[in-house]
Amino acid sequence: MDAQKVDMFMMMNAKYFESHHLNAVREKLLTLDESKWGLVQTMQFKEPTTSLVVSLLGGALGIDRFMIGDTGMGIGKLLTCGGLGIWQIIDWFLIMGATREKNMETFQNSFY
């Protein structure tokens, strides 16, 4: 794929990935052919900041985990009321990273 298109994608979507994944994303995009550019442009990623806000407001019910597609953790948080509040507080610090990791999984799975 054209390096200019890849750079444009990276500038627009870097906030959706962990910093250590950015090089892998860039390399993967450079190896793709031009026919995949439409797919790349239409990819939807979860916003990490939105996940944090949802975690602050509804983390005890597991809504944050359901939102990023982590159903098992969401059910666990729902049944334990956020691990009696402890799990909810821990997720305030971890949910943005978990969202970025799920975005990376989405990116990787879309090309296989």
Side-chain angles (χ1 to χ4, degrees), residues 27-84:
E27 292 299 320
K28 180 64 177 171
L29 288 173
L30 287 172
T31 61
L32 291 176
D33 58 354
E34 290 292 327
S35 65
K36 300 282 186 178
W37 179 241
L39 172 66
V40 170
Q41 284 184 313
T42 59
M43 292 177 74
Q44 296 290 317
F45 299 110
K46 305 286 188 208
E47 176 68 46
T49 308
T50 304
S51 297
L52 177 62
V53 171
V54 170
S55 184
L56 291 170
L57 299 175
L61 300 175
I63 297 170
D64 53 348
R65 292 294 179 159
F66 285 118
M67 189 179 87
I68 65 171
D70 201 354
T71 308
M73 295 279 278
I75 291 172
K77 283 179 75 173
L78 178 64
L79 295 176
T80 62
C81 294
L84 300 175

Side-chain angles (χ1 to χ4, degrees), residues 8 12 15 27 60 65 81 86 91 100:
M8 182 178 65
M12 299 290 290
K15 65 182 178 181
E27 292 299 320
R65 292 294 179 159
C81 294
I86 296 170
D91 250 359
R100 289 183 179 113

Side-chain angles (χ1 to χ4, degrees), residues 4-15 17 21-27 29 37 107:
Q4 186 177 9
K5 289 180 181 179
V6 171
D7 290 338
M8 182 178 65
F9 176 85
M10 295 302 293
M11 284 190 303
M12 299 290 290
N13 296 299
K15 65 182 178 181
F17 301 102
H21 287 146
L22 291 177
N23 194 30
V25 170
R26 189 174 198 297
E27 292 299 320
L29 288 173
W37 179 241
F107 177 79

